[in-house]
Amino acid sequence: MGKRDNLGRGLGRGEREKMSGILYLVATPIGNLEDITFRAIRILKEVDLIIAEDTRQTLKLLNHYEISKPLISYHRHNEEVKVEGLIQKLKEGKNIALVSDAGTPVISDPGEVIVKEAIKEQIKIIPIPGACALINALITSGLETKEFSFYGFLSLNKKLRKEELEKIRRENKTSILYEAPHKLKTTLKDLEHLLEDRQIVIARELTKIHEEFLRGTISQILESYPEPRGEHIILIEGNKLQQETEEEKAIKEMTIEELYQYYEKQNLTKNEIIKKIAKDKGVSKNEIYQLFI
Ligand code: SAM
């Protein structure tokens, strides 16, 4: 490695020697082995070392693409211990690729520690984009995509979990949660009484043979799907009531002139605007009308 920079440009020898190595964050498939980019494969072939959450899992991918590289395990339980040695290797000029078992590393997966440390040490970090479970679940969900809150895995700590669940109940954006297969049912049950008739989507086994999207209220889904199997993502429609109260709050704080401009932007007619302002301010239409003539 070391003949090209991340844009594929050639580097002079002097320049190359001065540089420390690069930390690549390489996305791998979330099921279907074809979901990996040409660039990811090139980087995995070119780096000096691959650090992987579960080396056996990564070996399957590397064998599939006939890539043979030294592999080092780097997971949640040894992240802190391993990071110093890995940073040293990067400083010595070794290029390292970080991969997780599936999808985009660092997202609900190990990597934050080495990324932070590499930034401190001014080591170059390059993301190699690819599959990410939450993004693919979101774009297929049919729920609002403009704003969303990603919760990752809910906390196991009872108090924190309760706080997170309450946050989801009030959340007016789409909420996205990861969940381990054996805990899915418990989490759905925990959410059931909080979400009432809000729509949820379960994205199941993305990119795999049994890929499926279940849509409905939690009660409907639990009824039709009592024994969840495989990998799942839970997506929850934003709390519309919350949205309304926030809009109402803003309206309450507006002056009559501000309200007029606000409704004018919605292309309402003068009569419609007067009717709305009268309702917002709890006065008669005539009073508002008088103000505008
Ligand atoms: N870093 C990965 C990403 O964002 O692509 C996610 C890793 S996280 C440890 C694993 C969780 O992601 C699973 O428990 C599940 O909630 C979700 N997930 C990963 N692959 C999936 C798939 N093929 N279908 C559905 N959910 C998946």
Side-chain angles (χ1 to χ4, degrees):
M1 179 78 184
K3 290 192 193 78
R4 287 184 258 184
D5 69 3
N6 61 316
L7 298 173
R9 292 177 304 211
L11 291 176
R13 175 185 282 221
E15 235 176 321
R16 223 165 43 219
E17 282 170 359
K18 264 189 274 159
M19 279 170 69
S20 54
I22 295 172
L23 174 64
Y24 292 95
L25 309 175
V26 182
T28 57
I30 53 170
N32 188 326
L33 286 183
E34 289 178 9
D35 294 328
I36 186 161
T37 67
F38 293 126
R39 187 173 174 221
I41 292 172
R42 173 172 69 79
I43 296 295
L44 291 175
K45 281 185 176 160
E46 289 180 353
V47 288
D48 300 293
L49 185 68
I50 298 172
I51 54 175
E53 197 186 356
D54 178 346
T55 50
R56 287 163 307 176
Q57 194 65 26
T58 301
L59 204 52
K60 286 185 207 159
L61 178 77
L62 297 186
N63 287 342
H64 185 82
Y65 286 101
E66 297 176 354
I67 300 169
S68 167
K69 279 286 150 183
L71 265 175
I72 288 189
S73 95
Y74 179 83
H75 49 73
R76 215 171 302 289
H77 306 292
N78 70 11
E79 226 178 336
E80 304 279 348
V81 187
K82 289 274 172 91
V83 79
E84 199 184 322
L86 292 170
I87 291 289
Q88 190 51 40
K89 285 190 195 307
L90 285 160
K91 280 181 170 170
E92 286 162 10
K94 298 268 185 276
N95 292 309
I96 298 182
L98 167 70
V99 297
S100 55
D101 287 354
T104 299
V106 197
I107 298 294
S108 297
D109 268 333
E112 242 178 56
V113 178
I114 193 163
V115 167
K116 287 199 170 117
E117 217 41 49
I119 292 168
K120 257 195 238 160
E121 298 292 337
Q122 298 186 339
I123 288 163
K124 191 165 183 170
I125 311 172
I126 296 180
I128 307 294
C132 182
L134 79 106
I135 295 298
N136 289 286
L138 177 65
I139 60 172
T140 322
S141 68
L143 300 177
E144 302 230 338
T145 57
K146 186 168 173 270
E147 287 187 296
F148 59 90
S149 292
F150 174 58
Y151 287 82
F153 293 96
L154 287 182
S155 176
L156 294 178
N157 173 297
K158 263 192 178 170
K159 186 168 167 274
L160 293 178
R161 186 178 173 92
K162 213 172 153 200
E163 282 170 14
E164 285 167 351
L165 288 168
E166 180 51 27
K167 214 164 146 197
I168 293 169
R169 189 186 68 75
R170 282 186 276 112
E171 183 60 79
N172 58 20
K173 303 169 194 149
T174 301
S175 298
I176 308 175
L177 277 73
Y178 280 166
E179 194 46 285
H182 61 286
K183 294 198 199 123
L184 183 78
K185 207 166 169 183
T186 314
T187 299
L188 289 179
K189 288 251 169 233
D190 283 350
L191 288 164
E192 190 176 13
H193 69 282
L194 287 178
L195 301 180
E196 294 167 357
D197 57 357
R198 268 155 79 181
Q199 289 295 303
I200 71 155
V201 179
I202 303 279
R204 172 174 178 249
E205 293 284 88
L206 291 175
T207 78
K208 305 183 200 175
I209 297 170
H210 298 293
E211 178 178 275
E212 150 174 66
F213 293 88
L214 300 144
R215 297 180 171 89
T217 62
I218 289 216
S219 319
Q220 287 166 345
I221 287 177
L222 278 169
E223 212 178 286
S224 66
Y225 185 51
E227 289 308 325
R229 288 227 182 111
E231 295 205 276
H232 297 77
I233 298 162
I234 308 169
L235 302 103
I236 303 158
E237 172 188 42
N239 186 341
K240 292 279 180 325
L241 290 174
Q242 187 77 5
Q243 263 170 14
E244 276 167 24
T245 52
E246 270 172 20
E247 192 188 352
E248 275 166 14
K249 233 194 285 167
I251 284 175
K252 263 192 207 146
E253 283 163 16
M254 285 186 211
T255 62
I256 290 179
E257 284 74 18
E258 283 168 343
L259 277 172
Y260 196 91
Q261 285 165 10
Y262 174 73
Y263 289 129
E264 213 175 19
K265 279 190 198 138
Q266 295 174 11
N267 291 328
L268 299 184
T269 64
K270 195 172 176 182
N271 269 345
E272 285 168 333
I273 295 176
I274 288 173
K275 205 168 148 192
K276 276 198 166 282
I277 299 178
K279 192 169 169 234
D280 294 337
K281 294 290 174 195
V283 293
S284 73
K285 269 193 292 182
N286 204 27
E287 275 179 77
I288 303 295
Y289 188 73
Q290 292 303 323
L291 283 173
F292 283 108
I293 52 172

